[in-house]
Amino acid sequence: MISGKMSESLNKHMNFELQSAHLYLSMSSSANEMGLKGAANWFMVQYREEMIHFMKFYTYLVDQGTNITLLASKAVPNNYKSLLELMQKTLAHEQVITSCINELSEQAVKEKDHATQIFLQWFVTEQIEEENNDRDLLAKLKLVGDNGHGILMIDAEMAQRVFIVPPGSPLAV
Ligand code: FEO
């Protein structure tokens, strides 16, 4: 049993995770349009991970007896100029998500909601990894600048990313 306030906050964030999935799907298409198939793969994997995050929130809320509310999806941008811009926007987006997860965790602590605190722990750790991966790629992109060969090498690295369903996930997409 979670409070109405907690369930409302989690429901709101669940929609944010779905919005994140749409954002990365759009980024995958933009990377593909730039001729960067490896980056398109990387963002497609990111999209699938966000769908898992969305479903984790969905399942938790349903298991806690919440009738979830799906909000209408907002349009996401698709007018990126470079891979560098895509990664800058990605890191900025993940930093916002991290703040939201931290706020949810603070609310759960305040409400002495132990179940939600445990549920959110996975996301706290996940955000460290997400931001770290983005920072690594961003650092490499800054190093190569406009050098086409360097960008293609990073694209080849991004092609290696594989989607792995986290253990115990509610849905493989
Ligand atoms: Fe679901 Fe990338 O945070």
Side-chain angles (χ1 to χ4, degrees), residues 102-115:
N102 288 343
E103 276 174 29
L104 288 172
S105 300
E106 279 164 31
Q107 186 180 343
V109 169
K110 220 163 149 185
E111 291 193 17
K112 297 186 172 60
D113 179 345
H114 301 290

Side-chain angles (χ1 to χ4, degrees), residues 12-76:
K12 188 172 163 210
H13 188 81
M14 176 193 72
N15 280 282
F16 196 25
E17 294 286 350
L18 187 57
Q19 185 77 13
S20 304
H22 292 169
L23 176 71
Y24 293 128
L25 190 58
S26 169
M27 285 184 168
S28 177
S29 135
S30 294
N32 189 62
E33 202 248 336
M34 288 174 202
L36 299 169
K37 301 276 182 199
N41 167 68
W42 193 93
F43 284 108
M44 185 61 78
V45 172
Q46 190 66 28
Y47 155 75
R48 298 181 77 186
E49 286 200 355
E50 298 303 341
M51 288 302 291
I52 292 283
H53 299 174
F54 161 69
M55 283 306 298
K56 273 183 181 281
F57 275 90
Y58 172 91
T59 306
Y60 180 70
L61 283 165
V62 167
D63 287 351
Q64 288 283 14
T66 303
N67 186 11
I68 64 120
T69 307
L70 278 173
L71 305 173
S73 289
K74 283 185 277 182
V76 290

